[in-house]
Amino acid sequence: MSVLRPLDKQPGLNTATILLVGTEDALLQQLADAMLKEDCASELKIHLARSLPLPSDVNRPRIDLIMFVVNLHSKYSLQNVEESLRHVDATFFLGKVGFLAMGAGQESHCSIHRNTVTKLANTYRSPVFFCDLEESQVTRFFRGQAPAHTTDANRTRLSPWPVPDTCPPGP
Amino acid sequence: MDETVAEFFKRTILKIPMTEMMTILKAWDFLSEKQLQDVNFQQRKESLVQDLVLLCEKKRASVHDAALLDIVYTQFHRHRKVWDVFQMSKGPGEDIDLFDMEQFKSSFKKILQRALKNVMVSFRDAEENAVWIRIAWGTQYRKPNQYKPVYVVYYSQTPYAFTSSCPLRSNIPLLGQALTVASNHHKIVKMDLRSRYLDSLKAIVFKQYNQTFETYNSTTPLQEKSLELDIHMDSRIIHENRIEKERVQRVTQETFGDYSQPRLEFAQYKLETKFKSDFNGDILAERKEPLRCLIKFSSPHLLEALKSLAPAGIADAPLSPLLTCIPNKGMNYFKIKDK
């Protein structure tokens, strides 16, 4: 079984490679698009994967950061992340892994409790971000005309949710 | 014109939205072109309705004409009713008789009228050898209630009939009997299939949903799809599990095809199975009686939603056959028992 290791390859010159792992492709794509729009000191490359292990026959650059994306509305996505975590070497968790929990805004749709993800993140000594994706709408007013709404579909904002402060200290 | 009939006309015409008024009145074909031209369709709806009712009165319209108008309205708004599907069968060894529409109609009407004193039956022929039947139920002492009719759409060249849900459940066996006998069948059975979308029910039952009109090489759509991905994708985004994605697309296409799915709003599964558990000593697993449980999936377009589950990453492909068998089996109500 192939395991991701953080330092098994040479770093690329002035490049940063982020790996997003999650079941919902559309979500990952939106996240990736949003991240690429921001300014970054290095050249940014984003790999999207449904689950780990990654296909072994591909030549890929060294991965600098792994973000595991969990959709709180889907137990399936949590299961997928838990299984993928087994294919990551322990040394990755020294600051190169993070968890993203999406969908906390719609409590009624959540089938995973926020604490479950918080506990998971604590077990792996990694930070967790709670967030939702939203489209930002720009309203323009023209003299004498009704306001025209333009949805700038390319601008997606990450609105962070406060991380619950009931994080239990690690064992 | 009788007061009740005038009221019936008024209420039926009021139902019709202004944008469809002309179309429906023309389809009804009771008022002539010239008479319709003389009516001012620009006025407020209430006044328009009054004018139309007066016009009908002048032309000595009967309650049967009003019933026909109601049928036309329902044909244009068939999604306002929930349709059940009945399947008839001939007895063993019975010949396939030549179907006579007029004989069917008179026989159907006679059977109902013999059983119930006050019942009003109206017919309107439709395309594909179908007939729309409207039945207004009355009782021994009361005239037919025109505001709670039942509609039956019978496709004469097939053993299938679609009925709108009947508020008076006691009349359903009689309706079934009338249909069966009048159409020279032996038995009638209610299928476990129900939806608002009559055309989708037709497509499922007549197996017309999977017809693609052009033949195509099955490999080309996949190529087109992956090209699409490349065009929209930033070269800085790399998809690692492309092979898995293509597998999911392929499995989904094999299961659901490339055609648009017939439209259903829900699928209901009634479970009567024993509780199965991995844990030893689980209290629920010790129960001897089956656990009763009802699972209902609802959606504005259930089959399209199921089709998009695996590509969206919400479920594994292939999906459970309990979900994918719906159009094939022609069922959206299931009873699941232990084998």
Side-chain angles (χ1 to χ4, degrees), chain A residues 35-51:
Chain A
M35 278 161 42
L36 288 171
K37 293 251 163 20
E38 301 296 321
D39 288 326
C40 183
S42 347
E43 204 180 292
L44 186 62
K45 273 199 170 29
I46 304 180
H47 286 239
L48 307 181
R50 193 190 157 101
S51 60

Side-chain angles (χ1 to χ4, degrees), chain B residues 277-304:
Chain B
S277 169
D278 292 328
F279 305 124
N280 284 324
D282 197 333
I283 305 167
L284 284 170
E286 284 171 9
R287 281 172 62 103
K288 292 205 187 72
E289 310 102 44
L291 206 67
R292 278 171 229 280
C293 172
L294 188 78
I295 300 173
K296 188 171 178 180
F297 293 89
S298 7
S299 164
H301 198 321
L302 181 78
L303 294 176
E304 283 292 338

Side-chain angles (χ1 to χ4, degrees), chain A residues 19 23-25 29 32-33 36 44-51 53-55 58 60 74 76, chain B residues 229 232-241 243-245 248 310-317:
Chain A
L19 174 65
T23 47
E24 286 171 44
D25 196 56
Q29 183 77 50
D33 286 335
L36 288 171
L44 186 62
K45 273 199 170 29
I46 304 180
H47 286 239
L48 307 181
R50 193 190 157 101
S51 60
L54 297 175
V58 176
R60 67 177 68 80
S74 160
Y76 181 63
Chain B
L229 276 171
H232 296 304
M233 234 168 55
D234 199 316
S235 61
R236 294 172 291 175
I237 301 178
I238 296 104
H239 288 259
E240 289 285 346
N241 298 106
I243 297 173
E244 174 64 15
K245 267 171 61 158
V248 166
I314 302 173
D316 263 329

Side-chain angles (χ1 to χ4, degrees), chain B residues 205-217:
Chain B
V205 146
F206 300 151
K207 306 246 179 262
Q208 290 168 338
Y209 58 90
N210 52 6
Q211 285 170 350
T212 44
F213 296 104
E214 304 142 332
T215 50
Y216 59 89
N217 192 352

Side-chain angles (χ1 to χ4, degrees), chain B residues 108-124:
Chain B
F108 183 83
K109 203 167 180 172
K110 271 204 203 107
I111 296 170
L112 285 182
Q113 283 171 338
R114 244 184 269 151
L116 290 173
K117 188 156 164 264
N118 278 317
V119 62
M120 188 176 103
V121 184
S122 320
F123 299 95
R124 187 164 196 262

Side-chain angles (χ1 to χ4, degrees), chain B residues 65-131:
Chain B
D65 298 308
L68 274 174
L69 179 61
D70 201 15
I71 297 182
V72 175
Y73 171 79
T74 310
Q75 284 176 318
F76 273 79
H77 290 259
R78 42 188 85 177
H79 57 276
R80 289 195 194 272
K81 305 247 177 239
V82 179
W83 300 91
D84 286 312
V85 188
F86 285 87
Q87 184 178 19
M88 295 183 279
S89 50
K90 296 216 186 257
E94 269 180 37
D95 291 326
I96 300 173
D97 306 318
L98 282 171
F99 182 80
D100 186 334
M101 184 58 90
E102 294 312 310
Q103 195 213 6
F104 166 78
K105 288 181 191 173
S106 78
S107 178
F108 183 83
K109 203 167 180 172
K110 271 204 203 107
I111 296 170
L112 285 182
Q113 283 171 338
R114 244 184 269 151
L116 290 173
K117 188 156 164 264
N118 278 317
V119 62
M120 188 176 103
V121 184
S122 320
F123 299 95
R124 187 164 196 262
D125 290 334
E127 70 292 325
E128 290 175 53
N129 290 307
V131 60

